[in-house]
Amino acid sequence: MNIGITDRNTDIVDRNADIANRDADIVDKSKGVENDVLKVEHLSVSFTQYGRGLRRRTLHAVEDLNLSVRAGEIVAVAGSSGSGKSLLAHAVMGILPYNANMDGTVYYDGEILTKERAKRLRGREIVLVPQSVSYLDPLMKIGPQVTKGKNDAATREKSRRVLAGYGLSEDVEEKYPFQLSGGMIRRVLIATAVMETPKLVIADEPTPGLHPEAAKRVMGHFREIADTGAGVLLITHDLELALSAADRITVLYGGRTVGEAAAADFLCEEKLEHPYMKALCRSMPKNWNWDGYKLCDSGEILEYMRKEYGR
Amino acid sequence: MTQKTGKLKFIGKQAVRMAVLLFLASVFAFALLTVSPVDPLQTNVGQTALGSMSPEQIEKLKAYWGAGVPPVKRYLSWAAAFIRGDMGISLLYRRPVAAVIAEKLANSALLLFSAWLISGALGFLMGILAGKRRGGLADRIVTGVSLVIAGTPAFWIGMVFLMIFAVQLKLFPIGLSVPIGVAADEVTLADRLYHAVLPAAALSVTGISQIALHTREKMIEVMESDYVLFARARGESETAVILRHGLRNILLPAMTLQLSSVSEIIGGSVLIEQVFSYPGLGQAAVTAGLGADVPLLLGITVITAAIVFLGNMTANILYGVVDPRIREGAMRG
C-alpha cells in the first residue's frame, strides 16, 4: 500500500473523528444548555467606522464574551463603562445599530437564537428593562406606552393591575414621562417588562440615580420576577448592588469576560482566581482595611489589564 | 398671575412685536426705493414725452410722483395716512392701494396656498422616507434631490417647467392666470386652475427642499433615539415604530417649520409670477418697485410682512398648544 494514501486515509479518519467529537460537543452543550435560559458563547460585536477619507476601520466593542443565565436566577454582568455591557443586551435582542457586526452564538432556551427568532421573541419572552426616561416616548402618555397602544379591555386591565403592583396609581397612565420622578419612571419601565410573561429579563443599568433604598426596592422587583421562573440578566457597573442582588456575577473588562463567580465568593478574595476580580473584591468598601495598603495596587492591576486585554 | 391677564399680556406683546416689525419693514422698503436710481418720471412717462411737455406740465407730474419732496416728509405723510387706515392711491394703477392689493392677493392666494400645502406635504413625506434609514437608497435620492433644488433659483425652475411642460409637451399654458381672448365674466374656475397648475408646481418644488431636509434630520434623530430602540426591543414592528413614535415626534417641528417658511413661498412667488406673467401680488411688487410706485410697494411690503408674522406667530402658539411638555409646564408655572 502506498504510504501517501494511508496518510491521507488517516487524515480523513482523523477529520471524521473531529467531526464526531464536535457533534458530541454540540450534544453535550445542548444538554448543558437545557437549564440555561440564555447562553452566550464567544460573542463579539464590532463596528465599521469610516476614518479620515474613505479608510475603514473596525472597532471591536465586545470580544469573546461568554456567560449563561439559568431560569429563576439573577446573573449580574458587571463592568466599567465602555466595557460593552449595553451592547451585550442589544446583541441578544437583535437590536444592534445597523453598522454593527455580531459574531458568536447565543442560545435561548437551548436553541440558537437567530435574528429572526429574536425578532419573534423580543417583547414577548425576552424583555428589556432600559435604564432611563429617554427610553420612553416623550410625547406619549404612560398608559399607551405600557400597553403598546393596545386598547382592549383585557390589556388595559392588566396594565392597571401591573402598575398598581408597583405602587403606581391610575392617574400615572394619563401622565407624560417628563411629569414623573426618576423612581416612578424606573417602576414604569419594569412594569412594561411584566406586561408580558417573560422568560428572560435583561435589565440594563436599572438603578443609577436612585438612592440605595429605592435601588434595593427595584432589585426586590427583579427578584420577584426571577422567582416566577424567569432568568434575569442584570447589567450594571455597581458591583456592590450586583453582590447584594445577584446569584452569580460575570465580570467584563474591555468587552471581554474576565471571569465568573458566585456572588458569595466576592466576599472572600481567596476564592477568586483572576487578579482583576481579586482587585475588585479588595476595592469594595466592605473589604477595605484601615491601613489601606491593599488599595494601592490599583495602578498595577490596570496596567496588567491593559497589557492582557489590549485596551 | 391669572390665566386672563397672562393671555392679555401675550396678545399685547405680540401686537407690539408686529408693530415694530411692520414699521421696520416699511422703513427699509422706503429707504431702498429712495436710494434706487429709478427716476419715476423717466421710467413712467418716458424721455420723448417729457421732451415735448411744457415746464408747467412737468412740474405737475413731479408733484404727482412726489419728486423733490424730502424723503422723511414723504415717509411720515405715508405713515400718518396708513395708521388712519388709508393706504393711499397707487400711482401706476391709479386705484386705491387696498383695492389693488386685494385683487392681486386674491389671484396669488390660490398659488401661494397650494404651493405651501403641496411643498409641505411632499417635503414631509420625502423627509420621512429619507430619515427612516440613514444612508439608504431613499435617503441618498431625497438628499440629493433636495440639495439640487435648494441650490437652484426659483425662476430657473419656472423656466425649465415652462420649456418642458408648456413649450415642448404643450400640456399647460405658457403664462397668465386666464385664457387670452376670453371675456372676464366668461372665465371659469377650471380655466383659473388650469393656468395655476404650472406656477404652483414650480413654486412647490422650490419649497420642498427645506422641509424635506429638516424632516429627514429629525426623523434620523427619532429613529436613533433610545425610545425607538426600546420600542423595537418590545417587538413593535418598523411600521408601528414609524407611525406611533416617528410621526408623533416629527410632526410638530415640521408644522412649525412649514408655518415659518411662509416667507420663502412669498419670496419665491415674486420670481415665479414674473416668469409666468401671473398677475399676482409678486408681480405687482416687481411692477411697483421698478416703477417707483411708493404707496403700492409699501402697502405690499406691509401686508406680506404681516402674513409672514402671522405664520410665525401661529407656529409659536401651536407649539404651546400641542407639545405637552410646554403646555403642562405652562400650566404648572
Side-chain angles (χ1 to χ4, degrees), chain B:
Chain B
M1 190 169 58
T2 64
Q3 200 111 25
K4 205 171 174 189
T5 57
K7 236 176 221 165
L8 278 176
K9 207 173 163 189
F10 176 80
I11 292 171
K13 219 167 156 184
Q14 296 295 328
V16 170
R17 272 192 188 171
M18 183 156 161
V20 171
L21 174 81
L22 297 189
F23 169 70
L24 290 178
S26 63
V27 167
F28 195 62
F30 183 79
L32 279 178
L33 262 185
T34 327
V35 298
S36 96
V38 174
D39 175 5
L41 292 195
Q42 298 265 355
T43 319
N44 296 313
V45 185
Q47 189 62 46
T48 9
L50 279 178
S52 64
M53 284 178 187
S54 68
E56 291 80 37
Q57 279 175 312
I58 292 178
E59 265 324 297
K60 248 189 191 165
L61 276 174
K62 268 194 178 168
Y64 179 75
W65 289 96
V69 182
V72 177
K73 203 175 156 199
R74 284 167 69 199
Y75 178 78
L76 285 181
S77 75
W78 173 83
F82 183 82
I83 288 169
R84 285 197 308 272
D86 177 11
M87 294 171 86
I89 309 282
S90 163
L91 302 175
L92 288 172
Y93 292 88
R94 292 172 196 272
R95 282 162 54 206
V97 168
V100 176
I101 290 181
E103 182 199 310
K104 302 288 174 187
L105 191 58
N107 279 345
S108 283
L110 176 68
L111 211 60
L112 293 174
F113 191 69
S114 57
W116 183 73
L117 224 57
I118 292 169
S119 68
L122 221 57
F124 186 65
L125 275 178
M126 281 166 69
I128 292 177
L129 272 180
K132 203 175 66 156
R133 213 181 113 84
R134 181 210 287 246
L137 184 66
D139 184 20
R140 274 178 286 168
I141 292 174
V142 168
T143 312
V145 167
S146 299
L147 288 177
V148 167
I149 291 174
T152 312
F155 65 86
W156 189 81
I157 291 180
M159 292 197 305
V160 169
F161 271 38
L162 267 182
M163 277 162 59
I164 296 176
F165 296 106
V167 177
Q168 276 171 14
L169 298 178
K170 299 193 192 328
L171 286 174
F172 294 101
I174 53 159
L176 306 176
S177 66
V178 288
I180 300 169
V182 176
D185 51 355
E186 281 169 24
V187 175
T188 61
L189 183 68
D191 282 335
R192 288 186 179 278
L193 288 178
Y194 180 54
H195 280 74
V197 170
L198 216 45
L203 198 53
S204 308
V205 167
T206 60
I208 280 178
S209 59
Q210 199 197 13
I211 181 89
L213 289 175
H214 271 86
T215 305
R216 167 186 176 270
E217 204 62 36
K218 191 70 196 164
M219 189 70 186
I220 287 175
E221 196 187 307
V222 169
M223 293 309 275
E224 289 175 1
S225 72
D226 288 342
Y227 55 88
V228 162
L229 185 77
F230 187 45
R232 288 195 182 122
R234 294 182 74 200
E236 288 186 38
S237 69
E238 260 334 83
T239 331
V241 165
I242 292 169
L243 292 181
R244 249 162 69 79
H245 302 289
L247 282 187
R248 182 185 301 265
N249 282 279
I250 60 173
L251 199 56
L252 196 55
M255 265 157 55
T256 320
L257 181 76
Q258 193 55 14
L259 277 167
S260 53
S261 77
V262 171
S263 61
E264 270 157 58
I265 294 283
I266 290 182
S269 79
V270 174
L271 299 171
I272 291 290
E273 285 180 7
Q274 201 60 26
V275 170
F276 286 89
S277 307
Y278 198 88
L281 205 59
Q283 208 193 25
V286 174
T287 315
L290 292 178
D293 187 344
V294 179
L296 182 58
L297 190 72
L298 290 187
I300 291 175
T301 308
V302 170
I303 294 296
T304 48
I307 293 175
V308 170
F309 179 85
L310 288 178
N312 284 328
M313 195 180 72
T314 315
N316 279 343
I317 294 174
L318 205 65
Y319 233 103
V321 172
V322 179
D323 192 328
R325 284 165 299 190
I326 297 176
R327 187 182 60 219
E328 312 273 317
M331 270 187 194
R332 248 190 282 158

Side-chain angles (χ1 to χ4, degrees), chain A residues 131-188:
Chain A
Q131 42 181 307
S132 69
V133 67
S134 68
Y135 286 82
L136 290 176
D137 189 327
L139 296 182
M140 197 188 283
K141 287 178 179 171
I142 298 294
Q145 301 216 49
V146 173
T147 59
K148 280 194 242 176
K150 280 189 217 123
N151 216 3
D152 55 298
T155 314
R156 293 190 55 166
E157 160 63 24
K158 174 145 200 204
S159 97
R160 185 78 292 284
R161 214 171 50 236
V162 166
L163 287 173
Y166 290 113
L168 296 167
S169 60
E170 210 157 330
D171 56 312
V172 167
E173 289 170 46
E174 289 300 312
K175 291 244 175 7
Y176 289 94
F178 77 97
Q179 293 171 302
L180 300 185
S181 71
M184 287 165 102
I185 289 289
R186 215 76 62 168
R187 281 178 277 161
V188 167

Side-chain angles (χ1 to χ4, degrees), chain A residues 28-288:
Chain A
D28 272 347
K29 239 173 240 161
S30 65
K31 260 187 212 154
V33 162
E34 220 165 24
N35 237 338
D36 292 336
V37 182
L38 178 74
K39 191 171 177 70
V40 176
E41 282 184 342
H42 310 296
L43 176 75
S44 298
V45 179
S46 58
F47 288 92
T48 311
Q49 284 190 326
Y50 285 90
R52 203 167 284 172
L54 288 172
R55 207 149 28 119
R56 275 209 276 187
R57 66 195 174 122
T58 312
L59 195 86
H60 290 279
V62 175
E63 256 186 307
D64 197 20
L65 192 152
N66 299 291
L67 66 86
S68 63
V69 182
R70 287 185 214 117
E73 171 186 64
I74 300 183
V75 172
V77 175
S80 54
S81 43
S83 56
K85 293 175 314 229
S86 288
L87 284 176
L88 164 66
H90 299 167
V92 169
M93 305 201 78
I95 50 170
L96 285 170
Y98 66 94
N99 58 340
N101 311 304
M102 179 185 151
D103 226 356
T105 325
V106 177
Y107 297 91
Y108 169 75
D109 226 2
E111 275 174 64
I112 289 182
L113 187 61
T114 57
K115 221 170 161 167
E116 289 71 36
R117 194 161 166 244
K119 198 171 177 182
R120 219 167 42 239
L121 293 177
R122 67 181 179 229
R124 288 172 188 87
E125 288 186 20
I126 308 177
V127 297
L128 176 74
V129 176
Q131 42 181 307
S132 69
V133 67
S134 68
Y135 286 82
L136 290 176
D137 189 327
L139 296 182
M140 197 188 283
K141 287 178 179 171
I142 298 294
Q145 301 216 49
V146 173
T147 59
K148 280 194 242 176
K150 280 189 217 123
N151 216 3
D152 55 298
T155 314
R156 293 190 55 166
E157 160 63 24
K158 174 145 200 204
S159 97
R160 185 78 292 284
R161 214 171 50 236
V162 166
L163 287 173
Y166 290 113
L168 296 167
S169 60
E170 210 157 330
D171 56 312
V172 167
E173 289 170 46
E174 289 300 312
K175 291 244 175 7
Y176 289 94
F178 77 97
Q179 293 171 302
L180 300 185
S181 71
M184 287 165 102
I185 289 289
R186 215 76 62 168
R187 281 178 277 161
V188 167
L189 291 174
I190 300 174
T192 63
V194 294
M195 274 301 286
E196 313 286 335
T197 330
K199 280 182 156 175
L200 173 65
V201 177
I202 304 177
D204 188 4
E205 300 273 14
T207 55
L210 292 187
H211 62 86
E213 233 7 79
K216 217 181 236 172
R217 234 183 353 254
V218 167
M219 283 302 128
H221 294 319
F222 283 115
R223 178 53 75 187
E224 286 161 21
I225 296 174
D227 287 344
T228 65
V232 176
L233 180 64
L234 171 68
I235 296 171
T236 181
H237 68 271
D238 187 342
L239 192 59
E240 258 195 297
L241 183 88
L243 284 183
S244 67
D247 301 302
R248 282 183 300 132
I249 295 170
T250 297
V251 175
L252 297 191
Y253 182 90
R256 279 160 73 180
T257 316
V258 173
E260 191 205 278
D265 292 353
F266 265 88
L267 299 175
C268 176
E269 196 186 320
E270 286 68 38
K271 288 194 180 163
L272 299 169
E273 276 173 25
H274 197 279
Y276 185 67
M277 287 167 73
K278 280 179 195 282
L280 279 179
C281 177
R282 275 198 303 278
S283 73
M284 234 125 29
K286 255 185 253 168
N287 300 346
W288 285 354

